[in-house]
Amino acid sequence: MISSLLSFASNNNTNNHKNGNRLIVAMMDIPSTDPDTHWSFSEGLVSYIVPAISYLRDSNIIQDVVFVGCPSAKKNDKVQQTLEISAKTAYLSDSSLQGDNGVDEFASSPGTSRAIDISSCDDYVPQMGDVGTMELDGVSNIVVDMPSDIYRRFEHFFGQVLWPLFHYNTQPYSNRFDKEGWEAFNEVNITFAECIQEAYQPGDLIWIQGSHLSLLPSILREALPMATIGLYIFAPFPSVDVYRMLPVREELLRGILGADLVGFQTYNSAGYFINACTRILGISSQSSGQLRVQYQQRDVSIQVVAVGIDPSQIYLTLSTTKRDNVLFQGKKVIIARDKLEDIEGTLLKLAAIEKLFEMYPNMLGKVVYVQVVEDISTLGHNRKRELSTSINRLVGKINGKYGALGYNPVEYIQGRHLDNREVYSLYSSSDIALITPVGEGMSVDAHQFVVCHKEERPGILILSEFNASARCFGGALLVNPYNTQEMAMTINHALTLDPKDALTRHSNDLGYALGNTCGVWAEAFVSDMKNASAKRGGEENEEGTGPQQLRPGDISDLFSNTSKRIIVINYEGALTPRLFGLSIETGRICNLLAKLAANKKTLAVYVITHMMRENLKHLALVPGVGVCAEDGCFIKPAGSANWTSTVPESVHDISFDSWQRTVYEAMEYYMERTPGTNVEVRAATLVWHYDHVADPQNDFIALQVNELLVLLQDIASKFPIDIVSGLDYIEVRPRGIGKVSTLKRILSEMHQGHDCLIYLGGEKSDEAVYGLPEMSEEGRIGCSIGDKVTAAKYYLRRQLDVAPIIEALANL
């Protein structure tokens, strides 16, 4: 059933797909249709994903979209209608999906589905893997249904384990983790992967939404090695000292690192994630250009771009909404809209409002505080009841103490869901939005509030300094939500702002909201996904094959028509003494290279190595062979006896010596603490070696390596340097120096007019070369050595296979 249903969605998009990218969006909730609106969706995630995807399609950034989702059976009334349609679709038989004319008829034939009452989670028991599709104006939906017991355990694990941890709520953490919940979390992610795998076509972009599906990237990577996968994490990623409390901390990180691109709301979250990867998994990162970490011979790009909203949706809703402001006429209105969560800081807000009336009694009768608390919560039943009771008591206390006949200082709306019309109407009728969670990612409430206001009545934001929105809205007033007196004073300041100041603040905030929409967010993410794919070596071919094994017999077919060949070889990755089982002094490597360089059709041969110039005399004397020492910091061109420095003068002038001293002191500190390690001081780089430790896999060694990497990354934020973590070494070098820049220099400055480029290498750093867009051009090939995932067009299984390839090239 799965195959036939998915083929329905795939076949409908085949023609368009060939002309452009198709986007597969995986998320827990998926859009559907209803009689009143083009789209129907739950508040939050789906409400800005849908217009974002529409923007991508309207802008021709993507052509087709497939939503893959697993709707919860516990939603508000509005979403219940959506789920009923989705649930019915999931149970349509294969033949009922299409009518006699091949047209989807489910909307006009609801009686063809099995009756399901999803108002009760206990009655809703679909089978694992049941999938349905529906066509929404060219957008396909795949509904992935889970047995209710698995979904319940999955939600419990996410709500009681992951979500609190990501929001720094760690007490009492030891009682929350349960094995069954973790197994359900795995099962949901695996089922999503199976559905996506069957729907996938070569060239598709897979965009995973939210930390609910944080294991999905690695599962998909194993099944679809060449697929382009992006994951956007909306929740704030915690500091490593908090994250390491998670019993499955390594598994979750490895799951996320299956993606080509991981997106976060703030630089803090991105930095904490990179630190967690370094300290827990011991993998290296790069800070020059785009943030990225290196995992399993791949570069995983890290993106920071905050989500936005669709302002036109708000304007359209407000234009058709009748607003009645009689209730608050003549009063200043403060609005706060929360979920029933401790993290929202609702009790602290109410305490600040109480303090406001205590400190500024002249505000009584002039100010109304509207507190909305929707019954959406990850809390357990007992804690929900306790929190709800505490809020009710405090509201009653304030109204009893400061209220009067016909006037309640606090208007409390609880326990029901407000639709968009009600929310936007409240926002447009309010003067101040109090958005002060004690810890949260980006809240789009701030965007919505600002857009709901016009210049004649500017709205003022009061934001928690812990909220990611505080880093975006320059006109907002910032507060510490734990300091209720400061909050009261800030609220009073907002209420008494000079009109010109209020208008200036509102204009700044509105400018941000209108300029950073959900469409801009989606375009930035999808663009970076495509760039990540290009760096990895582009999309797979029609058959979905990866790199091909290079054999000596292939050389003639590939290069017989070329006459100006450049061959670049990574010494450590391809020409180590282990290659021949003999010492370097035997000269066999030099003889092979000399023979290759002597070929009349060879324009140049270059060897790139980590070693210093003083240790490369044997290679420097080989005629026709150029040598690049210290990964390209120094180059001796082919046919020249002189070495040239490629280290930028700015590095020398500004901080070359100072960074060396700082880095050396850090490396020396860890050398003294770690027996068997040493620091090598080169002319332009520093290397901390741990290849001679007694047991390189020892946990103590791994801890020392990870801690040194974290320290060096902090130093790299202050100096123009890059950090490279190898198999048994950590190298620090001037920023912008490496194999990529060295190769570009060879091609552009030293040997123009070539008609063939061959690059041989087997280290992690060689993948950056294979991922260059230039390497996809005709006549240019990269060949990786070793059995691993690679962006190269070709590969060799062992270093022993390199010599026959060089021989074949020398004889061609």
Side-chain angles (χ1 to χ4, degrees):
M1 179 178 177
I2 294 177
S3 299
S4 59
L5 290 175
L6 294 178
S7 64
F8 168 75
S10 301
N11 292 338
N12 274 322
N13 294 294
T14 299
N15 293 332
N16 288 335
H17 180 57
K18 289 181 179 179
N19 298 323
N21 288 318
R22 186 177 71 156
L23 185 65
I24 298 178
V25 182
M27 55 200 299
M28 293 310 298
D29 294 314
I30 57 176
S32 181
T33 55
D34 78 5
D36 299 323
T37 60
H38 180 69
W39 293 100
S40 156
F41 42 80
S42 63
E43 299 300 325
L45 180 59
V46 181
S47 64
Y48 39 85
I49 293 295
V50 170
I53 298 304
S54 297
Y55 171 86
L56 293 177
R57 295 184 68 210
D58 293 342
S59 304
N60 292 319
I61 296 170
I62 57 172
Q63 272 66 51
D64 300 299
V65 185
V66 177
F67 282 98
V68 181
C70 179
S72 167
K74 299 177 179 178
K75 296 290 181 182
N76 53 61
D77 294 339
K78 180 71 174 176
V79 182
Q80 286 285 0
Q81 299 170 10
T82 300
L83 290 177
E84 287 169 9
I85 296 174
S86 301
K88 291 173 183 177
T89 309
Y91 283 89
L92 289 174
S93 65
D94 297 353
S95 60
S96 65
L97 274 171
Q98 297 182 7
D100 295 335
N101 298 322
V103 179
D104 179 14
E105 293 182 336
F106 93 89
S108 59
S109 305
T112 59
S113 65
R114 188 194 317 175
I116 301 174
D117 178 12
I118 63 172
S119 61
S120 169
C121 189
D122 295 332
D123 296 333
Y124 180 56
V125 190
Q127 297 301 308
M128 175 67 74
D130 276 356
V131 177
T133 65
M134 51 190 164
E135 192 72 13
L136 300 175
D137 192 20
V139 180
S140 300
N141 271 13
I142 298 176
V143 182
V144 185
D145 289 305
M146 298 288 167
S148 60
D149 58 332
I150 291 176
Y151 195 93
R152 190 182 297 112
R153 291 200 299 269
F154 165 83
E155 279 197 318
H156 182 270
F157 178 82
F158 181 80
Q160 298 299 307
V161 178
L162 291 186
W163 197 90
L165 185 76
F166 275 42
H167 291 80
Y168 292 87
N169 183 3
T170 60
Q171 299 295 332
Y173 189 74
S174 59
N175 298 327
R176 292 177 179 163
F177 186 85
D178 67 284
K179 185 179 179 181
E180 286 188 350
W182 171 242
E183 290 173 350
F185 191 81
N186 275 266
E187 197 162 354
V188 169
N189 278 262
I190 289 170
T191 305
F192 263 82
E194 291 171 349
C195 296
I196 292 172
Q197 186 179 352
E198 293 211 36
Y200 179 79
Q201 300 172 12
D204 283 349
L205 303 175
I206 303 173
W207 189 2
I208 302 165
Q209 305 285 341
S211 48
H212 295 78
L213 301 174
S214 49
L215 297 181
L216 185 54
S218 64
I219 302 171
L220 286 173
R221 178 65 58 203
E222 185 174 349
L224 304 168
M226 300 303 294
T228 301
I229 303 169
L231 169 67
Y232 192 87
I233 298 178
F234 295 88
F237 199 90
S239 68
V240 66
D241 291 329
V242 172
Y243 179 78
R244 69 194 309 174
M245 297 172 64
L246 184 66
V248 290
R249 59 193 184 186
E250 290 190 23
E251 292 89 335
L252 204 66
L253 285 178
R254 296 186 190 279
I256 294 171
L257 290 171
D260 295 291
L261 176 67
V262 182
F264 294 96
Q265 301 261 29
T266 66
Y267 281 98
N268 276 350
S269 291
Y272 289 150
F273 174 75
I274 291 172
N275 282 343
C277 291
T278 301
R279 292 180 61 180
I280 295 173
L281 298 182
I283 61 179
S284 63
S285 65
Q286 296 284 340
S287 57
S288 59
Q290 186 174 29
L291 296 172
R292 61 189 186 275
V293 295
Q294 295 171 333
Y295 179 68
Q296 293 183 343
Q297 306 296 327
R298 293 186 300 109
D299 275 350
V300 180
S301 298
I302 309 299
Q303 182 210 53
V304 179
V305 57
V307 73
I309 61 170
D310 178 17
S312 63
Q313 187 183 77
I314 293 178
Y315 293 141
L316 178 62
T317 302
L318 287 176
S319 68
T320 58
T321 301
K322 182 180 179 181
R323 282 165 278 177
D324 185 1
N325 298 329
V326 174
L327 180 63
F328 304 135
Q329 193 169 15
K331 298 181 177 64
K332 292 279 190 176
V333 181
I334 306 168
I335 181 75
R337 181 185 175 212
D338 299 333
K339 298 185 288 288
L340 189 59
E341 298 278 4
D342 290 304
I343 201 75
E344 297 281 10
T346 306
L347 291 173
L348 293 172
K349 293 174 188 176
L350 288 167
I353 293 297
E354 182 179 20
K355 181 67 69 173
L356 171 73
F357 292 128
E358 176 186 319
M359 295 174 63
Y360 306 98
N362 60 304
M363 291 296 177
L364 287 171
K366 301 176 182 178
V367 174
V368 174
Y369 175 63
V370 180
Q371 175 66 67
V372 180
V373 177
E374 300 188 49
D375 192 14
I376 302 172
S377 180
T378 60
L379 300 176
H381 177 72
N382 290 338
R383 179 55 194 152
K384 281 177 61 178
R385 185 175 56 188
E386 291 173 3
L387 181 57
S388 181
T389 300
S390 298
I391 294 172
N392 275 298
R393 285 176 177 170
L394 190 49
V395 170
K397 176 186 175 185
I398 297 171
N399 284 337
K401 185 175 181 180
Y402 296 108
L405 186 62
Y407 169 67
N408 282 330
V410 179
E411 295 289 345
Y412 183 30
I413 303 172
Q414 67 173 126
R416 75 176 185 87
H417 171 72
L418 302 183
D419 63 24
N420 286 340
R421 291 180 179 87
E422 293 175 291
V423 171
Y424 300 156
S425 180
L426 276 173
Y427 281 162
S428 63
S429 302
S430 302
D431 299 277
I432 298 169
L434 194 59
I435 305 172
T436 57
V438 295
E440 193 178 36
M442 179 69 72
S443 168
V444 295
D445 288 326
H447 300 69
Q448 293 171 342
F449 175 81
V450 168
V451 173
C452 283
H453 283 261
K454 298 181 180 180
E455 289 187 358
E456 55 266 27
R457 189 180 182 183
I460 301 301
L461 288 172
I462 298 179
L463 301 178
S464 164
E465 62 189 42
F466 305 123
N467 191 324
S469 300
R471 296 165 179 82
C472 302
F473 290 97
L477 300 173
L478 305 186
V479 295
N480 177 355
Y482 292 102
N483 188 337
T484 55
Q485 181 169 326
E486 177 198 9
M487 284 181 65
M489 294 170 65
T490 303
I491 294 170
N492 180 69
H493 176 54
L495 290 168
T496 57
L497 266 179
D498 178 78
K500 290 184 178 180
D501 188 10
L503 180 58
T504 300
R505 290 178 177 274
H506 173 69
S507 298
N508 290 337
D509 293 341
L510 184 62
Y512 175 83
L514 297 180
N516 295 271
T517 64
C518 57
V520 173
W521 163 73
E523 182 177 3
F525 194 89
V526 170
S527 176
D528 280 358
M529 282 179 67
K530 292 180 178 181
N531 291 338
S533 174
K535 290 177 182 178
R536 184 167 42 81
E539 299 170 354
E540 53 197 316
N541 59 29
E542 290 287 330
E543 291 75 29
T545 59
Q548 303 176 31
Q549 186 173 358
L550 185 63
R551 296 178 173 85
D554 300 327
I555 298 300
S556 177
D557 294 336
L558 290 170
F559 308 116
S560 60
N561 294 326
T562 61
S563 58
K564 297 179 180 180
R565 305 166 192 153
I566 296 180
I567 298 98
V568 181
I569 305 172
N570 172 11
Y571 181 86
E572 283 76 15
L575 294 178
T576 62
R578 295 191 301 273
L579 177 61
F580 307 107
L582 303 171
S583 65
I584 197 73
E585 286 75 21
T586 62
R588 186 178 176 190
I589 290 178
C590 296
N591 291 337
L592 265 178
L593 295 176
K595 184 177 179 181
L596 179 61
N599 189 311
K600 293 181 179 180
K601 295 185 177 181
T602 299
L603 187 61
V605 176
Y606 277 86
V607 176
I608 300 179
T609 175
H610 305 317
M611 291 188 289
M612 297 173 64
R613 290 168 291 177
E614 293 79 2
N615 300 327
L616 296 170
K617 294 179 181 178
H618 55 290
L619 288 175
L621 295 175
V622 178
V625 175
V627 185
C628 307
E630 299 189 37
D631 280 333
C633 288
F634 302 94
I635 299 179
K636 186 196 79 65
S640 172
N642 300 318
W643 290 90
T644 302
S645 172
T646 63
V647 180
E649 289 297 327
S650 59
V651 177
H652 286 291
D653 295 342
I654 296 174
S655 55
F656 185 74
D657 292 336
S658 59
W659 78 253
Q660 279 195 319
R661 285 194 298 272
T662 305
V663 170
Y664 180 82
E665 290 172 359
M667 289 182 169
E668 184 181 42
Y669 174 77
Y670 280 91
M671 178 185 71
E672 294 172 350
R673 295 175 57 184
T674 316
T677 64
N678 65 86
V679 180
E680 180 184 3
V681 180
R682 298 172 177 171
T685 62
L686 288 169
V687 186
W688 189 76
H689 295 278
Y690 56 99
D691 51 336
H692 295 301
V693 297
D695 181 10
Q697 303 303 318
N698 184 279
D699 288 342
F700 173 73
I701 299 299
L703 180 63
Q704 300 298 90
V705 170
N706 295 345
E707 287 187 356
L708 176 56
L709 281 171
V710 171
L711 178 57
L712 292 175
Q713 286 168 1
D714 182 63
I715 295 173
S717 67
K718 304 175 179 66
F719 295 103
I721 57 177
D722 286 330
I723 304 165
V724 179
S725 178
L727 180 64
D728 49 20
Y729 68 90
I730 298 174
E731 181 181 7
V732 179
R733 62 194 183 200
R735 180 166 298 169
I737 301 297
K739 292 171 182 173
V740 170
S741 60
T742 301
L743 180 63
K744 289 183 176 181
R745 182 183 292 267
I746 291 171
L747 298 180
S748 63
E749 299 180 13
M750 300 178 183
H751 299 285
Q752 298 180 2
H754 64 282
D755 59 8
C756 172
L757 170 64
I758 305 163
Y759 187 99
L760 296 168
E763 293 190 297
K764 288 192 295 185
S765 54
D766 294 314
E767 291 300 316
V769 173
Y770 302 140
L772 288 172
E774 298 94 317
M775 291 301 292
S776 62
E777 297 176 5
E778 186 176 356
R780 297 185 175 187
I781 72 162
C783 183
S784 178
I785 297 146
D787 188 12
K788 55 182 175 289
V789 176
T790 180
K793 293 180 182 177
Y794 294 89
Y795 73 95
L796 299 172
R797 292 192 180 280
R798 307 171 299 167
Q799 285 190 336
L800 289 171
D801 298 329
V802 174
I805 296 297
I806 295 179
E807 288 275 9
L809 284 167
N811 294 328
L812 182 62

